[in-house]
């Protein structure tokens, strides 16, 4: 791909705004999105938080909150593409489905396989109780059905190599319906119990993808993620960063916000000799 689509993941799921500079309110989300948009991001990946004093570290699936946040981002960034989160544990997926139906995003995440979601401390204790991020095929199909209903393009989130291969089987099975855009893999690297953030591993993964598909990498970590961003750019992948994924710039310093992170991401694309896709060019590349 000559053009590079840049995505900004604005805030994430549980990061405490009392400790880290993550946006929570609609006005804060819009301001951070505008900074990222001006730096070259044509896609905003959106999580929302519960609103109110002391609540901003908890996720929300209230369609009213989602509508207010997404509306503020669209007003602040004319032409922006909204990419909605959908990740939930358990069988009840009514919250994300209600949000998709309410805001009609052009893109939504589709978590494409299950993962033991683990992290362990240096002292051998679990950072949180071991849990399963459950995404069986039937649950994936439920999301895809509602995305098809709403004209939303699924971005298949792949946390491990087997999930990449599973997406290729989903496509062969016809789970991506006509009109849902071009098949897209999002390679999530850096979750402690998933794929490591490793440039050598990244180089192998496109061989397991369906022909004519498009892909991007989501890299979680500190300064060590930036050489892998550069590898993504060099290989023709699409690029994502934001305060959901990292707080750190290539030099190891802390980012002031999403705009600073996207500025560095754009430099990766430019070093690879690639121009930054505008929102309309991104729509064309993804066949939205």
């Amino acid at each position: 791909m000559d053009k590079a689509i840049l995505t900004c993941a604005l805030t994430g799921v549980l990061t405490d705004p009392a400790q880290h500079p993550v946006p929570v309110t609609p006005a804060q989300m819009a301001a951070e999105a505008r900074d990222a948009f001006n730096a070259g991001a044509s896609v905003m990946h959106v999580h929302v938080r519960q609103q109110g004093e002391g609540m901003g570290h908890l996720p929300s699936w209230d369609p009213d909150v989602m509508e207010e946040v997404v509306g503020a981002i669209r007003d602040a960034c004319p032409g922006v593409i909204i990419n909605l989160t959908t990740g939930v544990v358990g069988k009840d997926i009514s919250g994300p489905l209600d949000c998709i139906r309410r805001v009609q995003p052009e893109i939504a995440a589709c978590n494409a396989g299950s993962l033991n979601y683990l992290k362990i401390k240096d002292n051998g204790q679990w950072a949180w109780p071991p849990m399963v991020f459950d995404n069986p095929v039937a649950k994936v199909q439920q999301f895809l059905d509602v995305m098809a209903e709403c004209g939303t393009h699924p971005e298949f989130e792949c946390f491990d190599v087997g999930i990449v291969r599973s997406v290729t089987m989903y496509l062969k099975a016809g789970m991506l319906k006509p009109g849902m855009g071009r098949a897209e893999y999002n390679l999530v690297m850096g979750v402690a119990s998933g794929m490591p953030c490793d440039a050598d591993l990244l180089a192998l993964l496109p061989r397991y993808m369906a022909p004519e598909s498009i892909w991007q990498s989501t890299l979680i970590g500190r300064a060590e993620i930036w050489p892998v961003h550069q590898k993504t750019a060099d290989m023709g992948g699409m690029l994502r960063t934001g305060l959901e994924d990292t707080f750190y710039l290539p030099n190891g310093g802390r980012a002031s916000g999403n705009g600073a992170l996207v500025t560095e991401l754009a430099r990766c694309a430019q070093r690879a000799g690639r121009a930054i896709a505008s929102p309309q060019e991104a729509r064309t590349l993804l066949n939205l």
Side-chain angles (χ1 to χ4, degrees), residues 217-242:
S217 64
T218 290
L219 308 178
I220 299 166
R222 299 193 177 206
E224 74 277 2
I225 67 177
W226 291 98
V228 188
H229 279 308
Q230 188 62 57
K231 182 72 171 180
T232 300
D234 294 343
M235 291 174 59
M238 302 307 164
L239 300 157
R240 169 180 139 162
T241 193

Side-chain angles (χ1 to χ4, degrees), residues 18 29 38 42 53 61 64 79 96 144 161 218 222 234 247-248 253 266 275 281 283:
M29 290 286 283
N38 290 340
S42 57
E53 188 69 28
W61 293 109
D64 292 338
L144 290 175
V161 178
T218 290
R222 299 193 177 206
D234 294 343
F247 300 122
Y248 295 93
E281 288 169 333
R283 289 182 174 93

Side-chain angles (χ1 to χ4, degrees), residues 121-140:
K121 299 177 181 178
D122 290 341
N123 64 7
Q125 295 182 338
W126 295 113
W128 54 74
M131 60 176 285
V132 177
F133 185 28
D134 58 318
N135 296 291
V137 173
K139 187 175 179 180
V140 173

